[in-house]
Amino acid sequence: MAQALPFLATPILTRVFSEEDFALYTSFFAVATIFAVAVGGKYHLAMVLPKENKDAERIFTLSVYITLAYTVAIAAILPLFQGFFPSNLQPVLMYVAPFVLCFGIWNAFINASIRDKTFTTNAIAKVLQSVAYIVTAIGLGFTKVLAFGLVIGKIAGILASSLFLFSKAPQQFKRLPLQELKGVAKTYIDYPKYGIWPAFLNTISLQALVLILTRYYTTDDLGYFGLTFMVLSAPLALIGTSYKDVFYQKIASLINTERNTEALQFFKKSALALLLMGIPIGLLLFFFGETLFGFVFGDKWVRSGEFAAILAFSFVVKLVVSPLSSIFNAANKLRIASKWQVLYFISTFVTLGYAAAIAKVSVIDLLMIYVLHETVLYGIYFALQFKTIKTFSKSEGII
């Protein structure tokens, strides 16, 4: 429901916001997502691992402290680099720091909820986030009292969700002295050490298509892709992200209790289930993408449906592989993931950069090249995931 609501509201958003508005939102979200990579020093991902609740609370507090300091740094430094961004994006950069702050605190609460297995609270928080985003964005879209309605709506949604989670678990955050946090910071140092930079590179890679479209193609093409990205993100979040939360908790539990064979079987069943859910969606987009987009979002968005049809296959591949990447966190094998992320970063920018800047291919050809690249690289990623869990299944102890 949380992921379906924004999708259901999109036909309204496409009628109150222009292609340029979607292009601006897409560019902003790409930049904000890149900066959001380092929130909490990645320590929030370790919250499900400690056996003692006190250690989990220390990790939560450490994550919030780091997020606060990181947000202040972004607010101070980002204005100095405005000249590196397109002129139409510069006014909206002031919202990057608030987005990062809200997202970092929200992430800490979400992972605390995963540890506590309070999935109902987690789900309600995500529904509230969607509702706040929709109401704010549509309200600003109709009234025009503020610019950047889609951007402000996104921040409002995360803020509302964070406040709700805080109301349900205010005891999670305790103003502990830094000295008391050194122990967990050292124990789980691999998360910032091997998690931030590879994830930073990976996030830039994931946003590479947006960055390339912003630099080498028209604003209309970027706006059309923005809608395509928003629509494809709905099922990816609905199925992939939601499943990833549960998968992470379950696989971490199996690994911690050394139930190795069960962990391997759970991984296989998860991959098959995600594939079976993704195939019908991919086929629908491939054969009827243009028709669906034109009917649902308006005739001016048929081009977005054409983009969606091309991206359908890579969508299915990502839907299967991305949620299972939690295996590296659960198994504390972040080095493997980091090596793949470096490879993904390099190959993405070399491939897309050459196609757009040197070969000067059309936007349609660029998307086809992108699909081929994603299929190969995510195929390698899945092979590494399977090898990791299979290796652990043969051992008597894991951690």
Side-chain angles (χ1 to χ4, degrees):
M1 181 178 179
Q3 307 303 336
L5 286 174
F7 175 77
L8 295 175
T10 303
I12 302 176
L13 296 176
T14 55
R15 287 167 171 82
V16 297
F17 291 102
S18 66
E19 297 94 322
E20 185 177 354
D21 291 322
F22 273 88
L24 183 62
Y25 171 77
T26 303
S27 295
F28 162 81
F29 192 68
V31 174
T33 302
I34 291 171
F35 278 102
V37 166
V39 292
K42 289 290 183 183
Y43 276 109
H44 54 272
L45 296 175
M47 210 172 298
V48 301
L49 301 181
K51 295 181 180 180
E52 298 292 334
N53 287 332
K54 288 184 178 180
D55 285 338
E57 291 175 359
R58 292 187 180 102
I59 294 174
F60 182 94
T61 301
L62 177 64
S63 177
V64 172
Y65 281 170
I66 293 175
T67 293
L68 291 171
Y70 181 58
T71 301
V72 171
I74 291 175
I77 295 174
L78 190 57
L80 302 178
F81 296 92
Q82 283 193 349
F84 290 94
F85 298 96
S87 57
N88 65 328
L89 183 59
Q90 292 177 12
V92 81
L93 291 178
M94 63 180 291
Y95 292 105
V96 171
F99 174 88
V100 170
L101 175 62
C102 294
F103 180 75
I105 294 175
W106 180 84
N107 246 338
F109 275 116
I110 285 293
N111 280 273
S113 180
I114 294 172
R115 174 184 173 82
D116 296 336
K117 301 182 184 179
T118 54
F119 294 113
T120 300
T121 298
N122 198 331
I124 293 173
K126 291 182 178 180
V127 171
L128 181 60
Q129 177 181 342
S130 297
V131 171
Y133 159 67
I134 292 168
V135 171
T136 304
I138 292 178
L140 293 177
F142 276 115
T143 62
K144 307 295 183 183
V145 295
L146 289 174
F148 318 123
L150 290 170
V151 173
I152 296 175
K154 188 70 175 179
I155 297 172
I158 299 175
L159 178 60
S161 182
S162 299
L163 291 174
F164 171 77
L165 289 168
F166 175 75
S167 71
K168 293 297 181 180
Q171 75 281 0
Q172 290 288 355
F173 178 71
K174 297 181 179 179
R175 288 179 290 180
L176 302 173
L178 295 178
Q179 186 69 27
E180 190 172 334
L181 305 179
K182 286 185 177 180
V184 293
K186 185 176 181 180
T187 300
Y188 300 100
I189 190 63
D190 276 1
Y191 283 85
K193 186 176 180 180
Y194 297 109
I196 291 179
W197 284 109
F200 179 73
L201 297 179
N202 185 50
T203 303
I204 295 179
S205 303
L206 292 174
Q207 300 297 334
L209 191 53
V210 173
L211 300 176
I212 293 294
L213 288 172
T214 301
R215 176 67 178 84
Y216 295 103
Y217 295 88
T218 67
T219 300
D220 284 348
D221 282 334
L222 178 60
Y224 291 132
F225 176 77
L227 177 61
T228 304
F229 178 79
M230 186 178 293
V231 172
L232 294 186
S233 295
L236 278 174
L238 174 64
I239 301 172
T241 304
S242 299
Y243 190 83
K244 184 177 183 178
D245 290 346
V246 181
F247 176 80
Y248 183 28
Q249 191 280 326
K250 177 69 173 178
I251 203 72
S253 176
L254 292 174
I255 289 176
N256 281 333
T257 55
E258 300 183 5
R259 294 151 66 188
N260 307 331
T261 302
E262 289 184 51
L264 176 61
Q265 292 303 316
F266 179 61
F267 178 88
K268 291 180 179 179
K269 290 179 180 178
S270 297
L272 179 60
L274 290 167
L275 179 63
L276 292 177
M277 286 186 281
I279 287 177
I281 301 174
L283 291 176
L284 185 66
L285 290 171
F286 182 78
F287 289 106
F288 305 105
E290 293 182 51
T291 303
L292 285 172
F293 272 69
F295 175 75
V296 175
F297 305 114
D299 292 337
K300 68 178 181 178
W301 297 101
V302 170
R303 182 73 163 172
S304 296
E306 183 182 2
F307 290 176
I310 297 171
L311 297 171
F313 187 74
S314 62
F315 160 81
V316 176
V317 173
K318 288 183 177 182
L319 181 65
V320 174
V321 180
S322 294
L324 304 180
S325 63
S326 296
I327 185 62
F328 298 116
N329 292 314
N332 202 14
K333 292 292 181 179
L334 299 179
R335 294 186 187 186
I336 297 175
S338 68
K339 290 179 180 178
W340 176 85
Q341 286 164 347
V342 171
L343 172 65
Y344 183 64
F345 170 79
I346 295 173
S347 63
T348 298
F349 275 96
V350 169
T351 302
L352 297 183
Y354 177 84
I358 299 178
K360 300 185 183 302
V361 301
S362 68
V363 67
I364 296 298
D365 288 339
L366 181 73
L367 293 179
M368 291 181 177
I369 293 170
Y370 174 78
V371 170
L372 178 60
H373 173 270
E374 296 296 281
T375 302
V376 173
L377 268 293
Y378 272 85
I380 296 173
Y381 201 28
F382 180 78
L384 292 172
Q385 294 170 359
F386 184 75
K387 182 179 179 181
T388 298
I389 189 63
K390 190 174 183 180
T391 299
F392 279 116
S393 71
K394 294 179 180 179
S395 61
E396 295 181 0
I398 295 180
I399 298 178

